[in-house]
């Protein structure tokens, strides 16, 4: 695929939570670029820092206890971590839209669907009242909500989970954003409803050209939707690659283990590979490879240094000292 | 044993652990000051199936389709509204409370959320030991030895027996729940979404453990899950539930490679494959609309409101539950 200009450039992002039990090192130096019109999948296990890193981009974490301790997020020639909060509010819901796992947390229960969309349009666009109303209807039709005109007058609780998620997508799209960040938007939905939502998103991509960050733990969803994938572990990106390359030739042992441990619907598998052990504690700043205690290839260096992201081939990076292609450690 | 004998025993009554006939569970909907019943949630609305000794019967379906209710009613944690359930030829819907207490030892349950069903103030040893205290004559020493044995069996370190649940990860807590479930050497276990709350990398650990235990202890499982890929991996036969009905039931490969019910077909095509190349060329059937309410199911076929191939009679006549050959059961006018 043709890659556009960078839409969002994240450098060395670090986020901590200062809790009673100590400092949670949730995001430990995350750098990546999202290109215009690109679909970027973010996978990794629970607690690996997917939500916190992507919410940090828009400073949407609770502060305190959260604290963005370093990094930069360049969007339209400004650093979103530095600009003042009023400027940032214009970006949120304007040029950058959000879709969360549970739409009820982001929909206002006492406002009709129509009002929520028109409010957002009022805040972020120059449209007049009539234009806002017709745009709201157009958006609901765009996301395939049945009886869209009727639904404008509905309250969130009157809709099913799948319908609410469509409304969320409509709201995220309201101000024709350049970037949408979707955090597990289909995880709470049934699989046939998830399929409906994914179909809408695929369809919108060809119509709108919005860039999308899609967080999920479902390697199937990513396979069907993303152009490129970030794999997170222990608050860092441990691998980054074009989607086909990631699935065909994973370079990080965690990615490989993860891919081997998912069963496939279209095949009767043998015993599943299982990554032994537990995810790392996030209470200490990593000084080694966080995956080392679970890694089948770990050797002494892995316990001594944090492996940097290494370029494997154009667009493919992995943070590992072991070269899976040669079966030997890298010498450098 | 000759082939013929083998066949006759594996389908004969002796090998049936659970048999369910016309099972219904309706939850009344009450309204008003006089708590008058105004309707019913037809959570399970007439299902028939067998579970054979040593097999894993997978039970799949979307949220609210009645999977957990089916499991709970089989174990008599909820009363059936109608129908019959036999365990090794003994009718459970009419059995005495005392006898049921006896039978419970042989029929256990593993739950989705290992957190919710482990008492946080009890040590692991007392959680696992509780059924032993209540149901056996073991002395303290024998019990301790059995707890160690159980912990080892589920892959936990016996020296951690005196720790509390919160000191364990989600996957380890699920192992504690499993150890408790197998403590009394059960015959049959209902596993209700045992891996749904776990991380992908931990799910494989728990599923492999369940498979290993099944082999070692000749367990029979009803494995409830909405993860069709995992069910393909673990089950011998699979039943597909929709709105309180089982719409299809077959040998696992038969069900996935040759689904006959339009719902099973749609469900199969909706599950994303962890394979970008396969995904890019896949034919998808996207179902329209939402699942109707089980308090007000449609007439005729329960799937008719979303079925892409429905014909006139689907909206009026309920399709019969029939064996289309080789134990491949389906309820569809067109199958
Ligand atoms: N408000 C908070 N206070 C303290 N710690 C937090 C808070 N929010 C997140 N964390 C911690 O930050 C780390 C990263 O969490 P995050 O939510 O980003 O994980 P995730 O990858 O999105 O996981 P999941 O798949 O479960 O959503 C975790 O260790 C988490 O416990
Ligand atoms: N105790 C109860 N009282 C009233 N209704 C109930 C009760 N338990 C379950 N139901 C209803 O019965 C239907 C079937 O529920 P059940 O929990 O069996 O579904 P399920 O297939 O296990 O779903 P899930 O995948 O969400 O666990 C649902 O509509 C549910 O709301
Ligand atoms: S009986 Fe009719 S409505 Fe039901 S699944 Fe078959 S074709 Fe579809
Ligand atoms: Mg998250
Ligand atoms: Mg359930």
């Amino acid at each position: 695929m043709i890659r556009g200009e960078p839409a969002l450039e994240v450098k060395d992002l670090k986020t901590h939570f200062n809790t009673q039990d100590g400092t949670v090192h949730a995001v430990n130096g995350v750098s990546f670029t999202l290109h215009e019109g690109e679909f970027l999948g973010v996978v990794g296990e629970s607690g690996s820092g997917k939500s916190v890193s992507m919410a940090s981009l828009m400073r949407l974490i609770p502060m305190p206890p959260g604290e963005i301790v370093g990094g930069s997020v360049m969007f339209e020639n400004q650093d979103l971590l530095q600009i003042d909060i009023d400027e940032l509010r214009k970006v949120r819901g304007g040029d950058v839209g959000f879709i969360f796992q549970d739409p009820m947390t982001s929909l206002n229960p006492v406002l009709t669907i129509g009002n929520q969309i028109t409010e957002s349009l009022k805040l972020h666009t120059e449209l007049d009242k009539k234009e806002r109303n017709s745009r709201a209807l157009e958006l609901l039709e765009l996301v395939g909500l049945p009886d869209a005109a009727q639904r404008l007058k509905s309250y969130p609780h009157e809709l099913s989970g799948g319908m609410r998620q469509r409304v969320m997508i409509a709201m995220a799209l309201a101000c024709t954003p350049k970037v949408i960040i979707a955090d597990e938007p289909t995880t709470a939905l049934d699989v046939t409803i998830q399929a409906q939502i994914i179909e809408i998103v695929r369809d919108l991509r060809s119509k709108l050209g919005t860039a999308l960050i899609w967080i999920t733990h479902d390697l199937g969803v990513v396979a069907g939707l993303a152009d490129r994938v970030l794999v997170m572990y222990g608050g860092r990106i441990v691998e980054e690659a074009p989607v086909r390359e990631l699935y065909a030739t994973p370079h990080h042992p965690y990615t490989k283990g993860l891919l081997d441990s998912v069963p496939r619907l279209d095949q009767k598998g043998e015993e599943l590979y299982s990554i032994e052990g537990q995810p790392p504690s996030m209470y200490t700043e990593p000084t080694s490879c966080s995956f080392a205690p679970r890694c089948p290839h770990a050797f002494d260096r892995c316990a001594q240094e944090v492996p940097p992201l290494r370029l494997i081939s154009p667009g493919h990076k992995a943070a590992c000292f072991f070269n899976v292609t040669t079966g030997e450690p890298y010498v450098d | 044993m000759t082939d013929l004998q083998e066949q006759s025993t594996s389908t004969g009554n002796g090998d049936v652990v659970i048999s369910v006939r016309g099972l219904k569970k309706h939850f009344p909907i009450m309204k008003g000051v006089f708590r008058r019943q105004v309707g019913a949630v037809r959570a399970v609305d007439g299902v028939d199936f067998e579970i054979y000794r040593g097999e894993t019967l997978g039970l799949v379906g979307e949220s609210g389709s009645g999977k957990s209710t089916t499991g709970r009613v089989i174990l008599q944690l909820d009363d059936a509204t109608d129908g019959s359930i036999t365990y090794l030829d003994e009718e459970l819907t009419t059995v005495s409370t005392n006898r049921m207490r006896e039978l419970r030892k042989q029929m256990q349950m593993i739950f989705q959320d290992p957190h919710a069903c482990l008492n946080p103030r009890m040590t692991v040893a007392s959680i696992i030991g509780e059924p032993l205290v209540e149901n056996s004559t073991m002395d303290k020493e024998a019990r301790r030895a059995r707890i160690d044995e159980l912990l080892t069996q589920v892959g936990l370190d016996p020296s951690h027996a005196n720790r509390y649940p919160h000191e364990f990860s989600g996957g380890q807590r699920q192992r504690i729940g499993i150890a408790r479930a197998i403590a009394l050497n059960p015959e049959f276990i209902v596993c209700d979404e045992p891996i749904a709350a776990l991380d992908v990398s931990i799910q494989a650990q728990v599923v492999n453990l369940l498979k290993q235990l099944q082999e070692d202890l000749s367990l029979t499982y009803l494995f409830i899950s909405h993860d069709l890929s995992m069910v393909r991996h673990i089950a011998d036969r699979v039943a597909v539930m929709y709105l309180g009905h089982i719409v299809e039931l077959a040998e696992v490969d038969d069900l996935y490679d040759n689904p006959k019910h339009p719902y099973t077909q749609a469900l199969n095509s909706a599950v994303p494959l962890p394979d970008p190349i396969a995904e890019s060329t896949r034919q998808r059937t996207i179902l329209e609309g939402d699942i109707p309410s089980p308090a007000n199911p449609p007439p005729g076929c329960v799937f008719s409101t979303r079925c892409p191939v429905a014909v006139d009679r689907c909206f009026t006549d309920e399709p019969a539950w029939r064996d289309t050959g080789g134990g491949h059961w389906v309820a569809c006018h067109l199958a």
Side-chain angles (χ1 to χ4, degrees):
Chain A
M1 58 148 274
I2 307 147
R3 187 171 286 173
E5 293 291 304
L8 198 66
E9 276 187 285
V10 181
K11 284 224 172 70
D12 211 23
L13 181 70
K14 289 187 177 144
T15 304
H16 291 172
F17 289 96
N18 304 306
T19 71
Q20 284 186 334
D21 300 329
T23 302
V24 178
H25 297 254
V27 181
N28 300 306
V30 158
S31 307
F32 68 93
T33 302
L34 174 73
H35 301 272
E36 284 175 354
E38 178 183 44
F39 276 26
L40 184 66
V42 182
V43 299
E45 46 197 88
S46 186
S48 60
K50 304 183 294 296
S51 298
V52 172
S53 54
M54 298 309 151
S56 297
L57 304 182
M58 294 291 129
R59 288 150 59 185
L60 276 175
I61 53 163
M63 299 193 261
E67 187 186 354
I68 297 171
V69 295
S72 64
V73 178
M74 295 309 292
F75 178 73
E76 313 251 277
N77 299 317
Q78 47 184 1
D79 183 352
L80 299 184
L81 300 185
Q82 303 301 334
I83 59 174
D84 66 54
I85 194 75
D86 292 330
E87 284 299 307
L88 186 63
R89 286 215 177 93
K90 283 188 217 144
V91 178
R92 295 179 186 159
D95 278 339
V96 179
F98 274 90
I99 306 169
F100 294 103
Q101 175 169 347
D102 179 7
M104 279 316 252
T105 58
S106 18
L107 290 173
N108 186 337
V110 299
L111 280 186
T112 63
I113 301 303
N115 279 338
Q116 320 217 11
I117 300 177
T118 47
E119 278 303 304
S120 168
L121 289 169
K122 198 168 161 185
L123 201 68
H124 294 287
T125 68
E126 307 284 299
L127 301 178
D128 65 27
K129 192 161 179 223
K130 202 165 155 238
E131 290 167 329
R132 290 198 295 265
N133 285 336
S134 65
R135 173 88 177 131
L137 179 63
E138 182 189 307
L139 284 162
L140 290 189
E141 282 168 350
L142 190 68
V143 297
L145 200 72
D147 308 321
Q150 212 48 46
R151 288 304 172 196
L152 284 170
K153 293 178 219 134
S154 304
Y155 290 90
H157 73 265
E158 295 170 323
L159 306 183
S160 69
M163 289 196 234
R164 277 183 219 137
Q165 207 52 290
R166 286 172 197 239
V167 170
M168 278 303 294
I169 295 174
M171 287 182 60
L173 289 171
C175 308
T176 37
K178 299 201 168 61
V179 174
I180 292 180
I181 300 176
D183 191 350
E184 311 249 13
T186 59
T187 303
L189 301 176
D190 272 317
V191 57
T192 61
I193 311 296
Q194 166 172 284
Q196 293 173 355
I197 301 286
I198 289 179
E199 198 60 18
I200 289 162
V201 172
R202 269 203 196 97
D203 184 44
L204 290 174
R205 129 181 269 171
S206 46
K207 286 188 196 150
L208 304 176
T210 309
L212 177 77
I213 296 176
W214 186 290
I215 302 173
T216 176
H217 60 270
D218 189 326
L219 291 160
V221 171
V222 170
L225 209 53
D227 299 311
R228 214 150 54 89
V229 185
L230 307 179
V231 182
M232 290 196 70
Y233 192 83
R236 303 184 70 229
I237 294 172
V238 295
E239 187 154 8
E240 170 187 333
V243 65
R244 289 193 181 191
E245 195 168 325
L246 187 90
Y247 285 69
T249 52
H251 269 255
H252 197 283
Y254 171 67
T255 313
K256 172 131 182 41
L258 197 61
L259 287 169
D260 287 346
S261 62
V262 290
R264 286 180 62 132
L265 184 85
D266 56 346
Q267 286 166 12
K268 179 96 185 171
E270 296 301 305
E271 186 176 358
L272 289 177
Y273 177 80
S274 75
I275 306 176
E276 292 307 318
Q278 307 301 328
S281 158
M282 308 290 275
Y283 284 108
T284 51
E285 172 137 33
T287 53
S288 58
C289 172
S290 305
F291 190 59
R294 305 175 75 185
C295 181
H297 302 299
F299 61 109
D300 38 359
R301 189 176 178 192
C302 310
Q304 291 153 4
E305 295 170 54
V306 180
L309 269 176
R310 178 190 306 269
L311 194 66
I312 310 278
S313 58
H316 191 166
K317 296 177 191 167
C320 176
F321 291 126
F322 189 83
N323 184 339
V324 287
T325 316
T326 62
E328 306 265 344
Y330 283 104
V331 277
D332 54 8
Chain B
M1 222 195 283
T2 68
D3 276 349
L4 205 76
Q5 273 173 320
E6 203 169 280
Q7 222 174 21
S8 71
T9 50
S10 71
T11 52
N13 228 11
D15 261 12
V16 174
V17 175
I18 297 284
S19 172
V20 171
R21 283 287 166 275
L23 184 67
K24 292 188 182 176
K25 176 65 188 178
H26 295 180
F27 293 101
I29 304 169
M30 306 295 201
K31 259 219 177 102
V33 257
F34 300 111
R35 310 288 302 145
R36 219 164 37 88
Q37 182 173 344
V38 293
V41 177
R42 302 157 90 90
V44 179
D45 208 17
V47 299
D48 301 81
F49 60 90
E50 265 85 48
I51 308 176
Y52 298 109
R53 187 184 305 281
E55 81 164 342
T56 298
L57 177 68
L59 183 57
V60 301
E62 296 178 276
S63 186
S65 56
K67 305 180 296 296
S68 298
T69 305
T70 302
R72 291 177 54 82
V73 174
I74 290 177
L75 295 186
Q76 293 290 292
L77 300 170
D78 274 328
D79 289 333
T81 305
D82 197 11
S84 119
I85 305 153
T86 59
Y87 169 69
L88 301 175
D89 291 332
E90 201 165 343
E91 178 59 49
L92 298 184
T93 53
T94 52
V95 82
S96 74
T97 321
N98 277 342
R99 179 63 186 146
M100 194 58 223
R101 196 171 299 135
E102 278 298 303
L103 290 174
R104 278 257 153 74
K105 296 183 205 165
Q106 300 168 43
M107 305 166 75
Q108 295 285 331
M109 186 143 179
I110 298 168
F111 298 90
Q112 165 169 353
D113 183 0
H115 211 53
C117 54
L118 301 177
N119 185 333
R121 279 181 290 276
M122 281 167 76
T123 63
V124 167
S126 40
I127 289 170
I128 300 174
E130 195 176 44
L132 298 172
V133 176
E134 284 169 9
N135 291 297
S136 73
T137 52
M138 281 182 184
D139 62 19
K140 215 173 162 192
E141 219 158 290
R143 212 158 54 223
R144 188 62 221 215
R146 175 73 179 138
I147 290 168
D148 284 1
E149 180 186 40
L150 286 164
L151 285 171
T152 313
Q153 237 165 357
V154 298
L156 292 173
D157 187 341
S159 71
H160 293 170
N162 291 321
R163 296 192 178 177
Y164 292 87
H166 72 89
E167 297 175 67
F168 293 88
S169 69
Q172 289 172 322
R173 281 197 292 262
Q174 196 52 281
R175 289 170 192 266
I176 297 168
I178 294 170
R180 184 182 154 104
I182 62 171
L184 296 168
N185 288 316
E187 174 86 31
F188 171 62
I189 302 181
V190 174
C191 309
D192 191 356
E193 307 266 8
I195 54 164
L198 304 176
D199 251 318
V200 179
S201 76
I202 309 296
Q203 288 185 349
Q205 292 179 8
V206 171
V207 162
N208 287 342
L209 171 66
L210 286 170
K211 275 196 148 180
Q212 186 62 48
L213 291 172
Q214 179 168 47
E215 224 164 85
D216 295 348
L217 308 172
S218 357
L219 295 167
T220 302
Y221 291 148
L222 176 64
F223 189 90
I224 297 172
S225 177
H226 61 265
D227 182 341
L228 274 90
S229 308
M230 195 56 97
V231 167
R232 166 148 217 184
H233 182 79
I234 194 170
D236 300 298
R237 291 187 309 138
V238 180
V240 181
M241 233 176 148
Y242 187 83
L243 214 57
H245 292 254
I246 292 180
V247 296
E248 186 161 8
L249 189 160
E251 298 276 336
V252 63
D253 289 339
D254 204 17
L255 187 103
Y256 285 85
D257 296 336
N258 181 26
K260 296 192 172 172
H261 197 283
Y263 178 61
T264 315
Q265 290 165 359
L267 207 53
N268 269 349
S269 90
V271 175
L273 299 174
D275 178 345
I277 296 172
E279 275 292 304
S280 69
T281 57
R282 227 162 143 214
Q283 285 295 329
R284 292 186 181 80
T285 316
I286 307 285
L287 289 181
E288 308 250 323
D290 286 309
I291 307 177
S293 157
N296 189 15
C301 170
V302 277
F303 188 54
S304 56
T305 56
R306 296 173 82 201
C307 182
V309 295
V311 295
D312 283 352
R313 72 181 148 143
C314 302
F315 299 97
T316 50
D317 304 348
E318 191 176 325
W321 179 234
R322 64 196 168 83
D323 188 347
T324 57
H328 193 142
W329 292 77
V330 59
C332 169
H333 290 306
L334 304 183

